[in-house]
Every structure is written in structure tokens, then in C-alpha cells.
Amino acid sequence: MRFLRSSRLGGVLVALFAVLALALAGCSNNEDSESSGPASSSAKVEATKVQEIADLVPGNIKESGQLIVGVNVPYQPNEFKDSSGNIIGYDVDLMNAIGGVLGLKPVFKEADFDKIIPAVQQGTYNVGMSSFTDSKEREKQVDFVTYYSAGIQWAQQKGGSIDPNNACGKRVAVQSTTVEDTVEVPAKSKACTDAGKPAIQKTKFDSQDEAVNALVLGKVDAMSADSPVTAYAIKRSEGALEPAGGVFESAPYGYPVAKGSPLAGALQKAVQHLIDNGQYKQIAENWGVQSGTIPNAVINGAVS
């Protein structure tokens, strides 16, 4: 999760489609590997302006007609670039729908992840959108509008019987330096050895697509990653992979805005409107990340 830099899944699934095609079909066509599926125009959700919600937008933003959004890529499937260099993803589609409700055009500005919140505080960006975990510590700096719940999710080959809470002796793929590599799997492995059982055989990979490929090819028994990343890998595997257990250690993703800004209220109402009319769910399903959808958007919903 993007809570601390060390726990962010730095690698992406840019090569996933070609990898899976090679593993499952023996050949590949990379021409539209990044822009196929959910990135196609047929998956777009068009939201219409809701005047009473748009009226909540601060005057200077309303007059500009734009919502300046700070974003850090890549973090597939939430925010990444297609083969043409356009920023796409679940977060992007949802923010575009929010912009539709508010009568604003989101303008995405790339930035280093750790510079987005300071830029929101300074007014350079109206809002941040980069899979930020809403935390009590961050709420001291900015306000958050929650829109998703992310945690850790394991995957296995279809028909497997892996239990993340009883994986002693199993081979588990992780991406190097992620929270799954440094904290989650080691803790589970220690519980195994403390109980006199075999340790988990953690296999580290430099990128997430390598971990996915290892699982598809049966080189490992399971994979542990952030829940939206795992969900997207499963969706794109064409039935080769499935979840192993549920999502755990969940925390809310949120949009950071300047502390005390009325924009928080406008964003919260817009997200809730999309939840209530079903477009929020449709966007999540387009990207295969519906397991983390929430029933209510709130301002400052940190759990820790």
C-alpha cells in the first residue's frame, strides 16, 4: 500500500499481458498490451454534472473549470500509462467521473509520490490522487476523502488450496522491498517456525509481473501483493489465477486536499453520488478491483 515509500509496490504489471500470453498460449502480440481491456473507450463511464454538488466547489476552482490533480505513476491498475503515454487506470476513471459530477475537467500533473501532499498543502494541486492510504498521521497535514479499501491479497493457481494463515512450507512470491516482502510474509513464516513447522519459502522478484509469471508457471504456490494489484492480475489472467483467501489488513485510500478546504465536502458528495447511482461500482468492475469498493465515502476515515 502507498502508506510508506517502502511499502509501495514499485514494480508494475506493464508486461503482464505478454507474459500471460506466453505462459498460457505459447505466443504473444504486444501491440496493444497496455491499452487493451479496461483501458478501451468502451469501458469509460460518463458522469453528468449535479448542480447542488458542483455548487460546493470553491469559487476559484469553479471559475477555472479545472481540477488540478497531482499523481504519481506507475501503480497499475490504479494509475499508469498506456502505450501512447496517456495516464489511465481505476483512479483515473473514477476521478474523471468525479469531475463530471462537479462540472470540472481533471488535469493530471505527474509528481514524485512524496511531493504530492506538500504540493496540495501549498495549493499547487487541488487534490492528490495516487493510491494514498488515509492515516491519522497524514490527517494532521491534509484532509482526506475516502474512496476505496485496500489491503493485502494472496493469489494462487486456479483450483489451488492455499491458506494464507497456514502456508508453512509453501513457496510464496513477493516483490522485493514491499510490505509483503519485509513484514507480512516474514511474520507468517516466523509463526510457522515458532510452532515447529517449516518456514514459508519466500521468493523475491524485482518486479510484480515476474512474481505473477512465476505463479502462472507453477514455480511458486502463491503470490502476496496489495489487493488491487492482485485483483487486477487475476482479472487479466483469463482464468489461470484466483484469490487465495480474502483481503486482510485493510485501510482506506483517500484523496488528500488542503486542510479545511470546502473541496473535501464537494469531493465526498461526488464520490457518494457515484456510489449511490452505481457508476462507482461499474468503474471498479471494469478494472477488476470491486472487492475493495466501499458503501460510504467519508472525510478523514483513517483507522490508524
Side-chain angles (χ1 to χ4, degrees), residues 10-28:
V12 298
L13 304 179
V14 171
L16 176 58
F17 312 124
V19 166
L20 291 174
L22 283 168
L24 299 174
C27 61
S28 69

Side-chain angles (χ1 to χ4, degrees), residues 110-256:
E110 287 190 69
D112 292 340
F113 181 76
D114 55 4
K115 293 180 179 179
I116 294 176
I117 286 180
V120 168
Q121 290 177 294
Q122 295 163 8
T124 305
Y125 306 136
N126 303 135
V127 59
M129 183 205 76
S130 210
S131 303
F132 283 99
T133 299
D134 179 4
S135 69
K136 296 291 187 182
E137 186 64 28
R138 282 178 172 162
E139 286 178 3
K140 296 176 183 178
Q141 302 173 295
V142 290
D143 289 329
F144 279 90
V145 176
T146 63
Y147 65 94
Y148 192 78
S149 179
I152 296 172
Q153 172 81 69
W154 283 34
Q156 61 186 356
Q157 285 190 334
K158 186 172 179 61
S161 58
I162 300 296
D163 179 359
N165 294 314
N166 186 22
C168 305
K170 300 296 185 181
R171 302 165 299 169
V172 180
V174 296
Q175 186 191 356
S176 296
T177 74
T178 62
V179 70
E180 290 82 10
D181 171 30
T182 62
V183 179
E184 184 248 336
V185 172
K188 284 183 167 63
S189 186
K190 184 177 185 300
C192 290
T193 56
D194 286 351
K197 299 178 181 179
I200 293 174
Q201 300 175 44
K202 184 181 68 174
T203 304
K204 299 196 293 184
F205 295 92
D206 290 335
S207 64
Q208 190 62 45
D209 56 283
E210 291 176 308
V212 174
N213 189 40
L215 180 56
V216 170
L217 296 176
K219 294 181 179 180
V220 294
D221 301 302
M223 176 191 79
S224 181
D226 282 14
S227 56
V229 175
T230 298
Y232 190 60
I234 290 170
K235 179 180 176 67
R236 306 305 292 167
S237 74
E238 298 182 353
L241 305 180
E242 66 181 12
V247 177
F248 51 93
E249 297 184 18
S250 295
Y253 279 169
Y255 300 123

